[in-house]
Amino acid sequence: CILGTGHNMCFINSNGEAINTESGGFNSPEIPLTEYDEEFLNEIPKERSCLLEALVGGKNIAKLARVVINSLVEKGCVKQFDQITSEMMSASITDDLDTLDVWQNCALREVSKIIYCRAAHLIACELVAVFRYLGVTEGSYAVAFDGSVYEKVPYFRECLTKELGKLSG
């Protein structure tokens, strides 16, 4: 499972064949979208055909945070941010970000947690779907993860572990 700039997954089926899910291109109307998602996706219209990747990939995740934060700015909850990067999002969660005032940092931390947890939930759903397809209902199984979001965002990994536990038992 690749969770970095983009997203994709593959698995080995019962015949020993590697199956590439091309999950980055998954574009299901079943994924519930918020008004923030709609605004975000309007900014990156080419990404609509890769909806899942847009919602979980590091390439766009900071853009989604920017949309949510701009809404908070418009409501007068926080002052304008100069920029928002995925590095800032991760640092705000671990309280390693000292370039923002306390309210900006708090807003970015909470928005980042929500975005990363939802991304983890979507990935967990996808993994559990593969497990069910393979007939894995209990016991142990191995999943290899790689990519910058998985490697550099400990909070994302924590959420993914919790979501997998909830969904797969």
Side-chain angles (χ1 to χ4, degrees), residues 8-166:
N8 201 10
M9 187 184 310
C10 70
F11 63 92
I12 306 298
N13 72 8
S14 59
N15 297 330
E17 300 168 308
I19 306 297
N20 181 354
T21 64
E22 288 298 340
S23 53
F26 186 72
N27 186 23
S28 173
E30 303 301 317
I31 297 175
L33 300 176
T34 67
E35 63 187 78
Y36 305 113
D37 296 321
E38 293 292 348
E39 185 177 335
F40 156 70
L41 291 166
N42 286 336
E43 291 179 12
I44 54 167
K46 291 180 185 176
E47 304 291 332
R48 250 191 206 277
S49 63
C50 302
L51 181 59
L52 181 60
E53 186 169 65
L55 297 176
V56 303
K59 179 175 114 178
N60 291 317
I61 213 158
K63 292 175 186 174
L64 177 56
R66 168 64 92 182
V67 168
V68 177
I69 292 291
N70 282 344
S71 172
L72 295 173
V73 169
E74 288 172 11
K75 294 174 182 168
C77 300
V78 293
K79 66 182 184 181
Q80 186 68 43
F81 283 62
D82 292 331
Q83 66 173 343
I84 296 174
T85 64
S86 54
E87 291 82 8
M88 290 172 68
M89 291 173 67
S90 182
S92 73
I93 293 171
T94 58
D95 291 324
D96 292 335
L97 189 62
D98 58 6
T99 58
L100 302 174
D101 73 27
V102 68
W103 293 109
Q104 286 177 310
N105 193 36
C106 182
L108 184 58
R109 177 176 43 251
E110 295 308 310
V111 167
S112 298
K113 284 180 172 181
I114 291 167
I115 290 171
Y116 281 126
C117 273
R118 180 179 71 170
H121 182 78
L122 291 170
I123 297 301
C125 288
E126 183 180 16
L127 284 165
V128 170
V130 169
F131 299 155
R132 289 182 180 165
Y133 172 81
L134 293 171
V136 176
T137 56
E138 59 186 28
S140 60
Y141 41 85
V143 179
F145 293 98
D146 194 13
S148 56
V149 173
Y150 186 80
E151 291 175 13
K152 296 180 180 180
V153 186
Y155 186 76
F156 174 84
R157 289 192 308 267
E158 292 169 22
C159 288
L160 181 57
T161 300
K162 286 179 189 172
E163 291 298 323
L164 281 170
K166 284 187 221 172

